[in-house]
Amino acid sequence: MSLSHNYGSVWYYRNTGTDNAPVFNLQQRNLFQDRMLEFGEGALPVVFDENGDGLMDLLVANHGYFALAGNYVGKIALLRNVGTSTHPAFDRSSDDYANLSASGIGLSMYPALGDLDGDGDLDMIIGDLQGRMHFYRNVATGPSAQFQLVQANIADADGTVIDVGQFATPLVHDLDEDGRLDLIVGERNGNLNHYRNTGTTATPQWTLASQSLGNVSTVEWWNITGHSVPVIYRNAQGEREMLLGSESGPLYRYGGIDGNLDGNWTRLDTAYLGIDDGARTGLALHDFTGDGELDMVIGNFRGGLSFWRSDEVSTVATETPRAPAFTLYPNPANTSVEAVVDTPLPAAAQWVLRDGLGRIVMVEAVRGLRTMIPLEGLAEGIYLVRCEGMSAASAQRLVITR
């Protein structure tokens, strides 16, 4: 039994720490409804409310799926959010969204969404392996998106086809805040290209402003490539920051963006929160849990996704309570497991076991420093054990074998 979460399932981790000292604990082993997911070689998530129901779905790009003929086929998957505004759950609605495998674009398709024709819905730009991009207009008359190719191999304002080298990963964002959406494009070399919209909100014209935006780079000394995948968000102070997926895997974080579009941005972190889910990462940010804080979905080149939840941290208390540390022995376990703590717990504390779908399968009262928890009747698999009934709670994985 493999405990790796990098091969197609989405695992849900909860931040039980603080903003300055986050501690992520496993909460749910698989956020999907019916089966393990396989995205081929590479998995890069992008948020998009595809059916207009107010719940953010995921488009998952990849490099390609292996075919029997020895070639790869590029596709984009649609994971529809069939959960709620506070409890997301994803179902793979399509393995080949919009039949893009037949588009001729090829491998490493990466989508970016934005209203590029001024009609109020989201259109799509797709980057590709060759470093080029393609414009799809949303022509839907109902709530669900429907895309139609308008321009293959997007050209700049001078009519020259835009080519950023290889592995174009576009982001549609009004970088200069002039009311017109611009293009920020990551690439294999780890830098960012900036194409300013010098047209209108309904008819963009792309003018190259920089091939080294912010002097950003995701290249490390042991790599010659960086594979930058950009996402821009606003921090708690309302300032824009950028997270970048990378060739090496960790997430890069940059600040100093506002009022400094032509200068060097500040590298704040080369391994954001210490998360390292494998090589060639990409990420999506959205408040999937409705707590006012951005959650994060991360993909990697092995074709897996992981879900990271960032809980809102109260600033009312003068001291943040610490979650009790505990150990489980033995682990893996068979018929029983002993939960051991170093300090006495409140009388209301309980040991709570949840299965891979987050369902409570057992509750045991805390009995002193050592509590024996019976496991008879529970199926083989991975469970989450939490000590609950206090202001802070910690969690650990428990593997049950038969």
Side-chain angles (χ1 to χ4, degrees), residues 19 22 24 233 241-244 250-253 268-276 283 285 294 296 298 310:
D19 283 339
F24 287 97
Y233 65 100
E241 293 184 356
M242 174 180 283
L243 284 173
L244 292 142
L251 303 179
Y252 289 65
R253 183 167 69 106
L268 303 173
D269 210 330
T270 57
Y272 181 60
L273 298 180
I275 297 172
D276 188 353
L283 70 148
L285 293 174
L294 291 174
M296 183 162 52
I298 304 175
S310 177

Side-chain angles (χ1 to χ4, degrees), residues 252-306:
Y252 289 65
R253 183 167 69 106
Y254 280 85
I257 297 173
D258 295 324
N260 188 33
L261 300 189
D262 298 324
N264 293 337
W265 296 354
T266 304
R267 182 186 288 187
L268 303 173
D269 210 330
T270 57
Y272 181 60
L273 298 180
I275 297 172
D276 188 353
D277 269 3
R280 299 273 290 277
T281 48
L283 70 148
L285 293 174
H286 178 69
D287 180 12
F288 286 103
T289 55
D291 63 359
E293 300 289 322
L294 291 174
D295 307 302
M296 183 162 52
V297 180
I298 304 175
N300 60 66
F301 198 60
R302 287 178 288 187
L305 295 175
S306 59

Side-chain angles (χ1 to χ4, degrees), residues 144-302:
S144 295
Q146 182 179 348
F147 292 109
Q148 182 180 88
L149 178 64
V150 173
Q151 184 181 11
N153 299 315
I154 295 173
D156 63 18
D158 295 326
T160 303
V161 172
I162 296 175
D163 186 345
V164 300
Q166 285 187 315
F167 296 95
T169 53
L171 169 67
V172 177
H173 179 77
D174 184 6
L175 188 61
D176 54 13
E177 299 185 303
D178 65 353
R180 294 171 292 185
L181 293 173
D182 306 304
L183 273 176
I184 302 166
V185 190
E187 59 161 294
R188 179 176 183 267
N189 288 338
N191 56 294
L192 294 178
N193 303 271
H194 175 207
Y195 285 85
R196 182 173 286 122
N197 182 0
T198 54
T200 68
T201 56
T203 308
Q205 294 288 321
W206 309 115
T207 300
L208 180 63
S210 175
Q211 291 179 307
S212 56
L213 179 64
N215 200 27
V216 164
S217 176
T218 56
V219 177
E220 294 289 354
W221 62 268
W222 60 86
N223 285 332
I224 60 173
T225 58
H227 286 275
S228 51
V229 183
V231 171
I232 289 179
Y233 65 100
R234 291 193 179 273
N235 62 22
Q237 291 72 44
E239 302 165 338
R240 282 185 294 184
E241 293 184 356
M242 174 180 283
L243 284 173
L244 292 142
S246 70
E247 166 80 12
S248 54
L251 303 179
Y252 289 65
R253 183 167 69 106
Y254 280 85
I257 297 173
D258 295 324
N260 188 33
L261 300 189
D262 298 324
N264 293 337
W265 296 354
T266 304
R267 182 186 288 187
L268 303 173
D269 210 330
T270 57
Y272 181 60
L273 298 180
I275 297 172
D276 188 353
D277 269 3
R280 299 273 290 277
T281 48
L283 70 148
L285 293 174
H286 178 69
D287 180 12
F288 286 103
T289 55
D291 63 359
E293 300 289 322
L294 291 174
D295 307 302
M296 183 162 52
V297 180
I298 304 175
N300 60 66
F301 198 60
R302 287 178 288 187

Side-chain angles (χ1 to χ4, degrees), residues 60-206:
V60 184
N62 76 345
H63 175 64
Y65 291 84
F66 181 76
L68 292 178
N71 299 317
Y72 279 80
V73 177
K75 298 180 183 180
I76 293 177
L78 169 63
L79 305 184
R80 181 164 287 136
N81 188 347
V82 295
T84 68
S85 59
T86 57
H87 293 83
F90 297 94
D91 178 72
R92 181 159 54 179
S93 177
S94 174
D95 292 326
D96 188 10
Y97 182 62
N99 197 31
L100 288 169
S101 66
S103 66
I105 295 175
L107 302 181
S108 289
M109 291 186 286
Y110 183 87
L113 287 304
D115 183 7
L116 295 169
D117 57 7
D119 66 353
D121 58 24
L122 296 181
D123 308 297
M124 181 166 61
I125 287 180
I126 297 179
D128 69 17
L129 172 64
Q130 306 304 322
R132 300 187 176 188
M133 291 175 288
H134 315 273
F135 174 50
Y136 282 76
R137 176 173 286 125
N138 188 350
V139 296
T141 57
S144 295
Q146 182 179 348
F147 292 109
Q148 182 180 88
L149 178 64
V150 173
Q151 184 181 11
N153 299 315
I154 295 173
D156 63 18
D158 295 326
T160 303
V161 172
I162 296 175
D163 186 345
V164 300
Q166 285 187 315
F167 296 95
T169 53
L171 169 67
V172 177
H173 179 77
D174 184 6
L175 188 61
D176 54 13
E177 299 185 303
D178 65 353
R180 294 171 292 185
L181 293 173
D182 306 304
L183 273 176
I184 302 166
V185 190
E187 59 161 294
R188 179 176 183 267
N189 288 338
N191 56 294
L192 294 178
N193 303 271
H194 175 207
Y195 285 85
R196 182 173 286 122
N197 182 0
T198 54
T200 68
T201 56
T203 308
Q205 294 288 321
W206 309 115

